[in-house]
Amino acid sequence: MPLGNAALTWLALAILVATVVAALLLMGRSDAAWPRRRGLKNQRGIGQMAGVLEGIRVLDFGRYIAGPFCGTMLGDLGAEVIRIEKLDGSEDRWVTPVAEGGEGAMFLQMGRNKLGLTLNPMKPAGQEIVRKLVAVSDVVIANLPYEDLKRMGIDYDTISAINPRIILATNSTFGSEGPYATRVGFDTIGQAMSGAMHLSGDGKVPTRANAPFVDFSSALLSTVGVLAALMDRAKSGKGQKVETALLRTAINITNSHLIEQAALQLNRIATLNRGFTAGPSDSYKCKDGWIYAMTIGQPLFMRWCKLMDDEGLAKDPRFKDDLARGDNGEALSAIMQKWCDTRTVKEALAELEANRIPAGPVYTPQQALDDPHVKAAEFFHHMDYPGMAKPAPVLQEPVKLSRTPLSIRRRAPKLGEHTDQILEELGYEAAAIERLRAERVV
């Protein structure tokens, strides 16, 4: 299987793991073990059920994806999540702007189900606000270098001294140990240093995946860690630090390739979209577009040979098993490409499906939005946002729970939208809030 598809498979598996852990929470949680706290404001709409994590408060200092999407998942599960950002807006708010105010597509996705607080935690008054929030919260999320956490007063030693039940979820590029611990980076650094880029592309130019699968997978692993820490806290009464790192996540995804290299020293190079260990497994051009089709295992290959009207291929020693078919995948891809040359995408997919051979169209982003299955299964929550000409299609439920479903209860916040509300809940009076604003603390 080529790495781009492997990455998507690992992302699906990570979501599955998060689902399993959430299900365990449902089975193992007792009302006594999970104290309920009055939230800043009831976020549930009429007819919406309580989420699994209702009563859990999360402080999200995260930026971009690896931290914020963990907060998004916890929010979807019912937690009250407060996004804490710079006074003029943190950088990730403005990536790929789609709204009149400059808010970006990524922020609209990451910011759902979150309250918005602007804060300068480097000023003494800002640090006091952080301490008050930590005292009444359950989880702190921060994907920043650990030295920065110390300067902001949100490292684990500091916040656990304030609230021993607090859980700190951190993510960095390389983790807190080792010679690279203080280096910074993004998703693609994980792709590059895990072997993923080397194994993707044409074998000449290492190629990154545009979809930031390392960031999202790290966020999902953080979510699993936070849920496990909450389960442990229900028994022990103590919080703990949950740590993920982009490189660790990326190596988790490429680990089978690294095991193969360590054992066999094959020194594989990229083969574009063709699979390494099975075939035919590749992208193919039809008369009006592209498809991806793959066969793994002897039964699938036998069905493919029949579809190609050449059952003798199954007796060819080059194609005796999956590994041999992977080694000789170029020949199989040529046969499949000739078959696709005479068919439209619709025709090719219909015949492949009739023979139960996994295949799908290669979509543009617009085609993904327009897909009839995506529409019929209601993948998207169409979220209104100020300054948007039309609602943003935000994925409805990354994980489906049958009895306590995830929900989108509020849109992403405007900059500082809930600052006054949050400070009032902490006991600040209107005059004090105005002083904090005048001093550029909030």
Side-chain angles (χ1 to χ4, degrees), residues 163-182:
N163 179 358
R165 293 173 56 82
I166 201 76
I167 293 162
L168 174 63
T170 72
N171 178 276
S172 61
T173 307
F174 298 103
S176 60
E177 300 172 337
Y180 304 157
T182 59

Side-chain angles (χ1 to χ4, degrees), residues 226-357:
V226 169
L227 294 175
L230 286 169
M231 290 183 70
D232 174 77
R233 194 183 73 173
K235 296 179 291 185
S236 68
K238 297 178 180 179
Q240 59 182 298
K241 184 170 73 169
V242 175
E243 181 179 332
T244 57
L246 299 181
L247 182 57
R248 186 179 295 272
T249 296
I251 286 179
N252 180 42
I253 294 170
T254 62
N255 201 177
S256 63
H257 295 289
L258 302 184
I259 292 170
E260 180 192 55
Q261 175 63 25
L264 304 177
Q265 299 290 302
L266 295 181
N267 298 312
R268 290 193 183 277
I269 61 172
T271 54
L272 286 174
N273 293 315
R274 196 168 67 248
F276 289 134
T277 57
S281 181
D282 209 343
S283 55
Y284 305 98
K285 192 176 189 304
C286 296
K287 291 164 69 174
D288 59 347
W290 289 79
I291 66 169
Y292 196 94
M294 60 195 310
T295 63
I296 300 176
Q298 198 64 19
L300 268 177
F301 183 65
M302 294 293 291
R303 294 202 295 272
W304 179 81
C305 292
K306 185 176 180 181
L307 178 61
M308 296 297 106
D309 196 25
D310 190 353
E311 295 183 62
L313 290 170
K315 299 177 183 178
D316 190 320
R318 295 177 300 165
F319 312 134
K320 63 180 181 179
D321 55 26
D322 275 340
L323 191 59
R325 292 191 284 270
D327 291 340
N328 296 283
E330 192 169 1
L332 292 171
S333 286
I335 295 169
M336 181 67 175
Q337 181 57 64
K338 186 175 180 181
W339 182 85
C340 288
D341 283 341
T342 61
R343 291 164 172 80
T344 65
V345 167
K346 184 177 180 180
E347 291 166 346
L349 292 178
E351 293 186 58
L352 289 162
E353 173 56 30
N355 287 274
R356 304 300 289 164
I357 295 171

Side-chain angles (χ1 to χ4, degrees), residues 5 73 101 152 170 188 210 223 234 279 289-290 315 325 429 442:
N5 292 279
M73 289 297 298
M152 294 169 65
T170 72
T188 308
N210 255 313
T223 304
W290 289 79
K315 299 177 183 178
R325 292 191 284 270
E429 296 182 352
V442 300

